Amino acid sequence: MFKSLARLPIRFGNAFSPCKIQRNRQTFKYTLKYSSSATTERKRFYQDVSITQGEGGLFEINLDRRKLKTPGGKLFTVPNEALAIAVATEWDAQRETLKFYTMHLTTLCNTALDNPTERNKDQMISAALKFLETDTVCYRVDEPNGLVELQKNEWDPVLHWIENRYNVNIGSSSSILGPDIPEVTKDTFRQHLKSYNFWSLTGFEYVITQLKSVVLSFGMIDRLLSVEHAVLLSRLEEEYQIQTWGNVEWAHDYDMYELRARTAAGALFVHLCSESSTVKHKLLQD
């Protein structure tokens, strides 16, 4: 379907969860800017979407031959062809109205390019690993018995997998303080996360913030868990309460689908940025 993408623009037919980590006033202002652009809607102002390869081998997104830019005013460029196709498809999928809040890959690219919180890799990794101290999978309940058993049956296999996979100890606890995570465990995960480039790490941190779990995020990125399974495990207690007491169906379904969409986009972003050649080949075949 696509050919010579590095030399010729591709023509399609007929397009950001904002950063949630606010560390100072400057970050808050920048985050507010991202929030407003992500939650508003705008009438579609272009007909065609194309990609071209620019300087340094980077790929650009064009809307009717106008180059896309980030909220910070930078030229919107991505490191590989596969990611460019995915982002262009996101823009192409928009209809009469641009729903920016559905364009998760575009959001992640904007975040990587503008780096609104002005953090380096080490700071991003530290922020991501903070979730290990309050990891969803590590906090257990004492009652009711049904939920106790459900957490054990559903969470323990993933917890045992990650401990064996990375040769670490994590554990779980029903104490309000949670388990005492050994420093060597944190160091092991820190070294693993350092192997990702800045762009991939942006996606990885995004997945962790969605699932509120380092354990589930590692399991999904390593392909142990599907997106649907990881999201379900992250909402286990809520799902149990819904089965017991019922729910407002449309609200529950909406929240579930939104979380799946964000989590799936984050995982895809990680893989597109860290396995560009393999993913590009498969994407072009599909």
Side-chain angles (χ1 to χ4, degrees), residues 51-250:
I51 67 170
T52 51
Q53 189 169 21
E55 296 181 4
L58 299 177
F59 289 83
E60 303 167 359
I61 310 298
N62 306 298
L63 308 177
D64 290 342
R65 297 187 180 278
R66 287 177 291 183
K67 297 180 184 297
L68 184 63
K69 292 190 176 180
T70 70
K74 294 181 179 179
L75 180 63
F76 189 102
T77 58
V78 299
N80 61 67
E81 201 170 42
L83 182 56
I85 294 172
V87 172
T89 302
E90 204 169 54
W91 283 86
D92 185 59
Q94 303 299 305
R95 297 310 175 193
E96 291 82 6
T97 302
L98 305 181
K99 295 177 170 57
F100 294 107
Y101 51 86
T102 68
M103 302 170 69
H104 305 301
L105 294 176
T106 299
T107 295
L108 287 165
C109 290
N110 283 330
T111 302
L113 287 165
D114 283 346
N115 190 13
T117 53
E118 299 181 351
R119 295 178 301 160
N120 57 34
K121 282 183 59 175
D122 288 339
Q123 291 170 317
M124 292 173 68
I125 291 171
S126 294
L129 290 181
K130 279 288 183 181
F131 282 89
L132 189 60
E133 300 170 4
T134 57
D135 198 292
T136 299
V137 172
C138 298
Y139 275 77
R140 306 297 175 91
V141 297
D142 290 323
E143 56 180 359
N145 291 334
L147 182 54
V148 172
E149 286 301 309
L150 186 63
Q151 290 181 341
K152 179 180 179 181
N153 294 336
E154 297 295 333
W155 284 348
D156 278 2
V158 185
L159 192 57
H160 294 158
W161 167 84
I162 196 171
E163 289 181 327
N164 292 332
R165 167 73 171 82
Y166 293 95
N167 193 26
V168 297
N169 292 316
I170 299 177
S172 61
S173 173
S174 59
S175 166
I176 192 172
L177 300 177
D180 186 14
I181 309 295
E183 287 300 319
V184 65
T185 296
K186 297 177 184 178
D187 289 341
T188 297
F189 288 145
R190 189 182 308 277
Q191 290 304 313
H192 177 71
L193 290 174
K194 282 184 177 181
S195 68
Y196 287 88
N197 60 47
F198 184 86
W199 281 65
S200 298
L201 197 56
T202 298
F204 212 131
E205 184 187 17
Y206 182 74
V207 170
I208 291 173
T209 61
Q210 298 308 310
L211 298 177
K212 305 296 186 294
S213 171
V214 172
V215 175
L216 295 177
S217 298
F218 270 63
M220 191 182 66
I221 297 299
D222 281 1
R223 298 186 178 90
L224 171 74
L225 304 172
S226 66
V227 171
E228 291 80 4
H229 195 187
V231 167
L232 181 62
L233 291 180
S234 75
R235 294 164 53 94
L236 200 62
E237 184 171 354
E238 182 177 353
E239 294 300 317
Y240 176 83
Q241 296 297 341
I242 287 172
Q243 290 180 16
T244 304
W245 304 106
N247 70 299
V248 179
E249 185 174 348
W250 67 267

Side-chain angles (χ1 to χ4, degrees), residues 33-45:
K33 177 179 180 181
Y34 270 62
S35 300
S36 60
S37 66
T39 56
T40 57
E41 295 185 0
R42 178 182 177 185
K43 185 177 179 180
R44 177 166 172 156
F45 57 89

